[in-house]
Amino acid sequence: MPEVLTAPLVVEFPFTRSLGPVQSAFLTGLRERTVLGVTCQDGRVLVPPVEYDPVTAEELSHLVEVAPTGTVTTWAWNPGPRRGQPLRTPFAWVLVRLDGADSALLHALDAPGPDAVRTGMRVRIRWAAERTGAITDIACFEPSDDAPPATAPVPHDGEFADPVTGITAPARLDYTYAPGRAQSRYLRALADRRTVGERCPACRKVYVP
């Protein structure tokens, strides 16, 4: 049987989207080192904020500021960071419930090894040195000894100077492509400086490739 042909293939493009008022306030807040959540009808505070209640589908707009510290609710160790991930050294993916929030935020935790990570550990945000209004304005989380603050979330009007109104995020898919029988014959023929096609059994037309 002929060897199966394979080849690496990369599909990459920028994904550009506009932001509604809630997402705009959240990302602009990160640029200003402020973490905003949104309050649901039942009083839950969601971070990251969403524009519609996931339970009732009601539109949400009541923003509150939460603390930059929180608690790890679950985690997984990443021993080999890949292109585009937050850190270049091994790290933990963590879900962090920030103080004042009722939902968890997914991000990276900078830790020396899996033995240094546990559910329930206290962490804090490490802000990026240069911030532009993106989730990457949070460089990562780092371990913290800070106790949970006694104060409740603080109402916030979501107003900032020069708000972020849109984002462009790179999308990239790396995979290995394996052609089928007909394409494999076509590619092998090209290697021999020949061009082959395949005749359709119904219409009798010859298609190349």
Side-chain angles (χ1 to χ4, degrees):
M1 178 177 290
E3 180 185 358
V4 176
L5 298 178
T6 60
L9 190 63
V10 176
V11 178
E12 186 172 18
F13 59 92
F15 176 72
T16 302
R17 58 159 293 186
S18 58
L19 300 173
V22 172
Q23 297 298 322
S24 173
F26 174 67
L27 293 180
T28 308
L30 294 183
R31 188 189 66 196
E32 306 302 322
R33 296 171 57 130
T34 299
V35 185
L36 297 181
V38 69
T39 303
C40 297
Q41 299 293 335
D42 60 4
R44 289 174 300 128
V45 174
L46 304 183
V47 180
V50 294
E51 297 180 338
Y52 296 91
D53 191 309
V55 176
T56 67
E58 294 287 334
E59 185 174 0
L60 303 176
S61 60
H62 182 210
L63 296 168
V64 292
E65 181 179 352
V66 300
T69 55
T71 302
V72 172
T73 62
T74 191
W75 62 279
W77 186 250
N78 180 10
R82 303 184 65 182
R83 177 184 181 274
Q85 291 188 335
L87 299 174
R88 295 183 180 180
T89 56
F91 65 90
W93 288 113
V94 289
L95 283 172
V96 177
R97 186 174 60 247
L98 294 173
D99 297 321
D102 295 293
S103 62
L105 171 72
L106 174 66
H107 217 296
L109 171 66
D110 188 5
D115 292 341
V117 187
R118 60 179 177 83
T119 297
M121 72 181 294
R122 297 286 297 163
V123 295
R124 63 169 173 257
I125 290 175
R126 179 191 297 168
W127 296 103
E130 296 183 6
R131 298 177 302 282
T132 60
I135 191 61
T136 50
D137 291 349
I138 299 176
C140 63
F141 283 91
E142 58 188 17
S144 170
D145 294 328
D146 296 339
T151 56
V154 180
H156 197 288
D157 60 11
E159 296 294 328
F160 297 95
D162 190 23
V164 178
T165 59
I167 58 172
T168 299
R172 180 184 171 108
L173 176 64
D174 295 76
Y175 65 99
T176 300
Y177 173 70
R181 176 186 58 82
Q183 287 188 332
S184 292
R185 290 179 57 194
Y186 171 74
L187 294 172
R188 288 194 177 92
L190 289 182
D192 294 334
R193 299 186 177 183
R194 295 183 298 115
T195 303
V196 299
E198 186 169 48
R199 187 181 301 279
C200 174
C203 68
R204 308 305 296 169
K205 292 181 179 179
V206 175
Y207 290 90
V208 178

